[in-house]
Amino acid sequence: MQARYLPYVLIAPVSVFLGLFFLYPFYLVAQTAFYDGAGWSLKNFQEVTSYWKFPSSFKNTLWLAAVVVPIQLALALLMATMVNAMKKGRDLVLYIWTIPLGISDLAAGIIWLAIFEQSGFLNSIMHGLGFIDRPTALISYQNPTLIFVAIALAEIWRATAIMLVILVAGIGLIPKEYYEAAQVFGAGRWKQFVRITLPLLRPSLSTALVLRVILAFEVFAVVQALGGTLFPVLMSETYAYQFELLNGSAAAAVALIILGISIASTIAILRVLRVPKGATI
Amino acid sequence: MAEIKIKNVAKNFASYQALNDINLTVSDQEFMVLLGASGCGKTTLLRIIAGLETATQGEVWINDRRVDHLPPKDRGIAMVFQNYAVFPHLTVFENIAFGLRMHNHPSAEITKRVHRTAELMHIERLLKRYSGELSGGQRQRVAVARALAMEPDVILMDEPLSNLDALLRLEMRAELKGVLAESKTTAIYVTHDQVEAMSLADRISVMNQGRIVQASDPVDIYRNPAEKFVAGFIGNPPMNFLVADKRPDGRWTVGGQPYDGPSCAENTLDFAIRPEDVVLAETGIKAKVNVVEPLGAHLLVTCDVNGAQFRATLDSDANIGRGDTIALQPQLDRIRWFNPSNGMRQSLEKNDV
Ligand SMILES: Nc1ncnc2c1ncn2[C@@H]1O[C@H](COP(=O)(O)OP(=O)(O)O)[C@@H](O)[C@H]1O
Ligand SMILES: [Mg+2]
C-alpha cells in the first residue's frame, strides 16, 4: 500500500466510530431542533427562549461558569506551581489533590448537600460551637446566594483537579533555563510567573480552560443535588423538556444553544491564548 | 570598576565534591577564561558567581561587595547561557529589552539601548522575529545582545560558542572579543576549547577536577605550565614527556643525551618539551619514526623514544619516512621539568619561577 494513504487508513476506524455515534446523532438533534412539524424554522428556539425560566437559567449557567472557572484557574495555577516546586512527595500530593476527580458529579453534589443540609455538618458545627441557636435550613428559596455559593464550592472542589493535572504537565515542559535567565536579568518570583510561566503555559492553559468552560456550561448533577428547581440552569432545562414535558424539539433547541455558547467561548479562549508562529517552546 | 574575588569557594553535590577551595581574582575589565575538560566544574563555578547555585562554603565578592547571599538580580551581572535561553514567547526586541524592563528603565531608554546593542550584534533586521524563526548563530547573537544591553559590571558566558558550527564559531569569536573589549565589561568565559581560550583571554584559569591548577596569561600558560596536567592539556599536540635520570655529575640523561636540569633531591624527573621546540640534528635524542603527517606548513612526526611517544613538528622539507631513526635536539631554553611524584613543575634554580 502506498505510504501516503496509510495515515487515512489508520484513522478510518475512529472516523467511522465518530461519524456513527457522534455526527449522526448530532445531525438528528439539529434536525429535531430546526423542524417544527411542517418545515425548517426557528420556532423551537423562539419557544424555549421566550419561556419565563429561560433568562434565569441562561444567566445562572453563565454566572456559575464566570465565577467558578476563574477561581478554579487561579487555584489550579497555584497548586501546579506548588507541586512543581516540591522536591519530595510531589506525586503523593498530586494523587491526593486529584481524588475528587474519581467521584461522580452527582456524588459530589450529595457530599456537599450533606454539609449544607438542615441536619448537615455545617449546621451541626455552628450549633455545637454556639454560633446559632438551632439548625436552620440553609438551602432554601430564601437564600439564593447561599445556593449559588454551595454549588460553586462543590464545583470548585470537584473539578479543579482536571485543570491542575493539565497545568502540572504543562509547567513541567517549561525548561528551567528560562527561569534562570529571567532571574539573572532581574525577575523576582512573581515576575517569573507572569512573564515566563503564564505565556509559556498558553497551550496548556487553553486546553484546560476550553475543557473546563465547556464542562461548566454542562453543569447538571451538582446543581440538581444542591439547588433542585431553585437554581435552574440550561442543562436542567434540557432535562425537564425531554423527560418531564416530553418535548424533544425544545430539548434539542436548548442543547444546541449550549453547544453554541460552548463553541463561541472555545473560539474566544483559543484566540486570546493563541501562540504566534515561531513563538513556541 | 568591577573586580571579582572568589575566596575559598567549595561546592558539594551530596557526597560529590564538584569544586575544591577555589580562589580567583578577576580584575576590572579583564577577560578571564575558565578552561577545563568537561565535568571539571566550570559551569558550577560560573553559576555560583551568578547566584544560580549556592556554594557549600566560601565567598564571592563583586566590586568590594560580598554577593554570595544576594539573588542573581542584585549582583550586577548578565549572563549568556550555553543553550542561549532566548525566551521563545518574546520577540528579539523584547528579549533584548527583558532585563531593562525588569529594572524599570524608561521606555525611550529601552528602545535606544535595544537598537544600539542590536546594531552592535548585527541583528537589527531580526528585532520583530521570534526565537523559533532564528538560526543558532542568530540566537547566540540575541543572547549576547540581551546581556550587553544591561551594561552590566560583569558578563558571564558559559560555552556560548559551543553549539555553533566551526566557521561561525571562528567568526563569532573574533566579534565577541571586539565587542567585549569595547564595552569595558569584566568578563568570565567558560570553555573546554583551548584555542578559543587562548584567542580570547587576557588570562586563563585552567581547571582540573574541581580545582584551579593555574591562572595566568595565555602565553605563560603555554610556555610555563605549572603542572604536568596543564602541559599535557594545553597545546595541540600537547607537550612531550620523557623520563630523565639523574647522573652522578648532577646533569640528567634524557633519551641517552645529557642535559642541564634542576638540582633537586629527586633521582628521576619528567623532561618536557613542546613538539615545535625540537629540531632535526646530527646528534640528539634518538627517535624511531612511527607516523609522518604532512600538514602543509610543517610535518607532524610521531616517534618512539625508549618506549615513550614523542611528537615533533618539523620543517616540511625534511625528508623523513616511517621506520627512520632520527636525532632530535630540543631548544634548551624551552625545556621544562616536572616532579613525577606530585606533577608540579621543578624550577631550575631555587629562586627561579
Ligand atoms: N545539580 C547537580 N547535581 C549533582 N551533580 C552535579 C550537578 N551539577 C553538576 N554536577 C556535577 O559536578 C561536576 C561539574 O559539573 P559542571 O560544573 O557542569 O562541569 P563543566 O561545566 O566543567 O563541564 C560534574 O561531575 C557534574 O556531574
Ligand atoms: Mg559546563
Side-chain angles (χ1 to χ4, degrees), chain B residues 99-114:
Chain B
L100 303 170
R101 292 211 193 286
M102 291 299 115
H103 286 88
N104 298 319
H105 286 272
S107 92
E109 166 78 6
I110 292 177
T111 311
K112 206 176 80 192
R113 280 214 219 170
V114 170

Side-chain angles (χ1 to χ4, degrees), chain B residues 54-341:
Chain B
T54 320
T56 311
Q57 75 177 53
E59 301 173 7
V60 180
W61 294 70
I62 297 176
N63 273 341
D64 295 321
R65 195 167 61 117
R66 191 171 167 185
V67 297
D68 41 85
H69 56 283
L70 297 178
K73 66 187 173 80
D74 298 330
R75 297 189 179 197
I77 53 158
M79 190 159 170
V80 179
F81 292 80
Q82 181 166 6
N83 300 320
Y84 315 138
V86 171
F87 302 121
H89 59 291
L90 299 178
T91 59
V92 169
F93 184 100
E94 284 303 324
N95 261 287
I96 301 175
F98 188 88
L100 303 170
R101 292 211 193 286
M102 291 299 115
H103 286 88
N104 298 319
H105 286 272
S107 92
E109 166 78 6
I110 292 177
T111 311
K112 206 176 80 192
R113 280 214 219 170
V114 170
H115 279 109
R116 196 173 58 214
T117 40
E119 197 175 331
L120 196 65
M121 296 309 298
H122 306 296
I123 48 175
E124 315 96 296
R125 295 202 342 275
L126 307 176
L127 286 175
K128 290 202 182 78
R129 294 218 199 151
Y130 288 103
S131 135
E133 302 165 312
L134 302 178
S135 70
Q138 290 169 333
R139 240 172 267 177
Q140 207 274 337
R141 287 169 187 274
V142 175
V144 175
R146 179 173 63 181
L148 287 176
M150 300 294 293
E151 295 175 8
D153 296 336
V154 176
I155 190 163
L156 306 174
M157 288 171 276
D158 191 357
E159 313 223 14
L161 305 183
S162 66
N163 290 343
L164 302 180
D165 59 58
L167 213 62
L168 203 54
R169 196 151 65 216
L170 217 65
E171 180 190 321
M172 279 306 297
R173 192 171 84 196
E175 203 170 315
L176 212 52
K177 185 167 185 169
V179 165
L180 280 167
E182 190 74 22
S183 72
K184 301 197 190 324
T185 316
T186 308
I188 301 186
Y189 184 106
V190 162
T191 182
H192 66 268
D193 179 337
Q194 49 171 300
V195 180
E196 209 169 284
M198 291 278 175
S199 73
L200 287 171
D202 293 324
R203 229 153 36 100
I204 298 178
S205 295
V206 181
M207 290 183 67
N208 183 30
Q209 296 181 348
R211 284 183 320 125
I212 291 182
V213 285
Q214 188 174 10
S216 190
D217 65 84
V219 174
D220 188 45
I221 296 240
Y222 189 79
R223 287 278 170 243
N224 304 307
E227 295 187 15
K228 196 176 167 186
F229 167 80
V230 180
F233 182 71
I234 302 281
N236 186 19
M239 249 176 164
N240 295 299
F241 302 103
L242 295 173
V243 177
D245 295 305
K246 196 190 257 172
R247 292 160 32 124
D249 65 358
R251 299 180 79 201
W252 298 84
T253 305
V254 181
Q257 298 288 311
Y259 291 99
D260 287 333
S263 35
C264 58
E266 261 73 22
N267 283 320
T268 57
L269 285 179
D270 284 321
F271 162 101
I273 188 83
R274 292 217 171 264
E276 69 272 24
D277 293 335
V278 293
V279 289
L280 272 181
E282 294 299 314
T283 62
I285 298 170
K286 291 273 179 301
K288 189 163 174 294
V289 177
N290 284 331
V291 184
V292 178
E293 299 168 79
L295 299 178
H298 45 252
L299 286 183
L300 176 59
V301 183
T302 307
C303 342
D304 180 294
V305 177
N306 293 339
Q309 177 174 285
F310 192 100
R311 288 205 183 86
T313 49
L314 302 174
D315 194 283
S316 41
D317 290 339
N319 187 13
I320 297 173
R322 182 179 148 76
D324 292 354
T325 299
I326 54 177
L328 296 168
Q329 202 49 259
Q331 198 178 322
L332 296 178
D333 62 337
R334 294 281 167 85
I335 299 172
R336 299 293 177 267
W337 304 86
F338 295 94
N339 189 328
S341 58

Side-chain angles (χ1 to χ4, degrees), chain B residues 13-14 16 18-19 36-45 53 158-159 190:
Chain B
F13 292 111
Y16 179 75
L19 291 178
S38 175
C40 72
K42 309 178 296 287
T43 298
T44 306
L45 180 54
E53 201 84 68
D158 191 357
E159 313 223 14
V190 162

